[in-house]
Amino acid sequence: MRMTDTVLKPMHPEGWRFVGIFAVITALLFWLWEPLGWIGVVLTIWCYYFFRDPVRQVPEGEGLVISPADGMISQIATVLPPPELGMAAEPMTRISVFMSVFNVHVNRSPVSGVLKKMAYTKGKFVNASLDKASEHNERNALLIALPDGREIACVQIAGLVARRILPFVKEGDTLYAGRRFGLIRFGSRVDVYLPPGVTPLVAEGQTMIAGETVMADLTASLPPRPARAE
């Protein structure tokens, strides 16, 4: 791999206008006072990296649930599914992945299946790492029907800085694991709700890579995987 491939990553088209705005402001700052211009250069580079969209190597295998987001698992909890999706009111395991402003923010489908329902809900913009963000924040919920009849929910949640969730898919679309389905701008979180009886293969505090990290295996009956910090 070339050094340039390590440093320079593809950028999602959604980011071009923001990089352009940052660049224009940077030019203005240079005109006003050169030190301010260099601050603008740093922020423009950060904006480019925020919208980066690197190629990922998606694990292939029946029943694998892949992380939909880059970031850290902030919580694994047993909760009811999002009411707006109309799922049965039965407890499900929810895995929450918190994305900082330095993570890739292009989200990917955790499984292969049909997008049965997508529901956008307006809301607040509290810190996405808090548990109440699942209920109170702006969010976009996806219900994915699996080939075996089971369902998985995946919810994009806007955070303290984020102000817009952009979907790339629509109801009825056929998704495949690792497919890009949306983007959240500037800091947020993604929740995955596993079907009943499926245990996660990850732990709180673990770092996730969207499209690559295996969260669970729908075909295996395994106990929760313990972890330790070292």
Side-chain angles (χ1 to χ4, degrees), residues 90-152:
E90 300 177 358
M92 304 176 72
T93 298
R94 184 186 68 198
I95 305 175
S96 300
V97 181
F98 176 73
M99 297 178 286
S100 76
V101 293
F102 299 105
N103 290 123
V104 173
H105 274 61
V106 175
N107 301 140
R108 297 170 179 260
S109 177
V111 292
S112 297
V114 176
L115 181 53
K116 185 176 180 180
K117 185 175 183 179
M118 184 165 65
Y120 170 78
T121 304
K122 293 183 178 181
K124 301 177 182 179
F125 299 97
V126 301
N127 191 330
S129 64
L130 300 178
D131 186 51
K132 64 181 180 180
S134 294
E135 298 180 11
H136 300 304
N137 278 28
E138 175 192 1
R139 60 190 183 273
N140 188 48
L142 288 75
L143 179 62
I144 304 172
L146 304 175
D148 63 7
R150 289 184 290 181
E151 297 174 333
I152 277 185

